[in-house]
Short mmCIF file of all heavy atoms in Angstrom, two decimals:
data_model
loop_
_atom_site.label_atom_id
_atom_site.label_comp_id
_atom_site.label_asym_id
_atom_site.label_seq_id
_atom_site.Cartn_x
_atom_site.Cartn_y
_atom_site.Cartn_z
N GLN A 25 96.21 97.15 137.62
CA GLN A 25 95.32 97.20 136.47
C GLN A 25 95.86 98.19 135.45
O GLN A 25 96.23 99.30 135.78
CB GLN A 25 93.91 97.62 136.89
CG GLN A 25 92.96 97.77 135.75
CD GLN A 25 91.53 97.46 136.13
OE1 GLN A 25 91.28 96.89 137.19
NE2 GLN A 25 90.61 97.83 135.27
N VAL A 26 95.89 97.76 134.20
CA VAL A 26 96.39 98.61 133.13
C VAL A 26 95.42 99.76 132.90
O VAL A 26 94.20 99.57 132.88
CB VAL A 26 96.58 97.81 131.84
CG1 VAL A 26 96.93 98.72 130.68
CG2 VAL A 26 97.66 96.75 132.02
N GLY A 39 88.44 116.86 105.56
CA GLY A 39 89.70 116.89 104.84
C GLY A 39 90.89 117.17 105.72
O GLY A 39 92.04 117.09 105.26
N CYS A 46 97.93 107.36 122.55
CA CYS A 46 97.43 106.51 123.63
C CYS A 46 98.63 106.08 124.47
O CYS A 46 99.60 105.54 123.94
CB CYS A 46 96.72 105.30 123.07
SG CYS A 46 96.29 104.04 124.29
N GLY A 65 75.04 106.18 119.00
CA GLY A 65 74.04 105.25 118.51
C GLY A 65 74.57 104.07 117.74
O GLY A 65 73.80 103.27 117.21
N ARG A 68 80.82 100.02 118.89
CA ARG A 68 82.25 100.27 118.77
C ARG A 68 82.81 99.39 117.66
O ARG A 68 82.45 98.22 117.54
CB ARG A 68 82.93 99.96 120.10
CG ARG A 68 84.39 100.34 120.17
CD ARG A 68 84.88 100.07 121.57
NE ARG A 68 84.40 101.06 122.52
CZ ARG A 68 84.18 100.81 123.81
NH1 ARG A 68 84.38 99.60 124.29
NH2 ARG A 68 83.75 101.77 124.60
N GLY A 77 105.08 92.77 115.50
CA GLY A 77 106.05 92.95 114.42
C GLY A 77 105.76 94.15 113.55
O GLY A 77 106.38 94.34 112.51
N ARG A 78 104.80 94.95 113.99
CA ARG A 78 104.40 96.20 113.30
C ARG A 78 103.69 95.96 111.98
O ARG A 78 103.61 96.86 111.15
CB ARG A 78 105.58 97.16 113.14
CG ARG A 78 106.03 97.74 114.48
CD ARG A 78 107.16 98.74 114.33
NE ARG A 78 107.37 99.52 115.53
CZ ARG A 78 107.98 99.08 116.61
NH1 ARG A 78 108.44 97.84 116.65
NH2 ARG A 78 108.13 99.85 117.67
N ILE A 92 98.51 103.62 111.77
CA ILE A 92 98.72 103.25 113.17
C ILE A 92 100.20 102.96 113.38
O ILE A 92 100.87 102.40 112.50
CB ILE A 92 97.86 102.04 113.57
CG1 ILE A 92 97.95 101.76 115.07
CG2 ILE A 92 98.20 100.80 112.75
CD1 ILE A 92 96.96 100.70 115.57
N VAL A 97 108.83 101.02 123.77
CA VAL A 97 109.65 101.47 124.90
C VAL A 97 108.84 102.38 125.82
O VAL A 97 108.90 102.27 127.05
CB VAL A 97 110.91 102.19 124.40
CG1 VAL A 97 111.67 102.81 125.56
CG2 VAL A 97 111.79 101.21 123.63
N LEU A 108 90.05 113.49 106.83
CA LEU A 108 88.93 113.07 107.67
C LEU A 108 87.58 113.44 107.07
O LEU A 108 87.45 114.47 106.39
CB LEU A 108 89.09 113.67 109.07
CG LEU A 108 90.11 112.94 109.96
CD1 LEU A 108 90.55 113.84 111.10
CD2 LEU A 108 89.52 111.65 110.48
N SER A 123 90.38 92.86 122.53
CA SER A 123 90.41 93.69 123.74
C SER A 123 90.22 92.87 124.99
O SER A 123 89.49 91.89 125.00
CB SER A 123 89.33 94.76 123.64
OG SER A 123 88.05 94.17 123.59
N SER A 137 82.34 121.22 109.36
CA SER A 137 82.67 122.53 108.83
C SER A 137 81.90 123.61 109.58
O SER A 137 82.06 124.80 109.31
CB SER A 137 82.37 122.60 107.34
OG SER A 137 81.04 122.22 107.09
#
Side-chain angles (χ1 to χ4, degrees):
Q25 176 149 347
V26 173
C46 171
R68 187 175 286 150
R78 291 183 166 76
I92 187 171
V97 173
L108 282 161
S123 63
S137 54

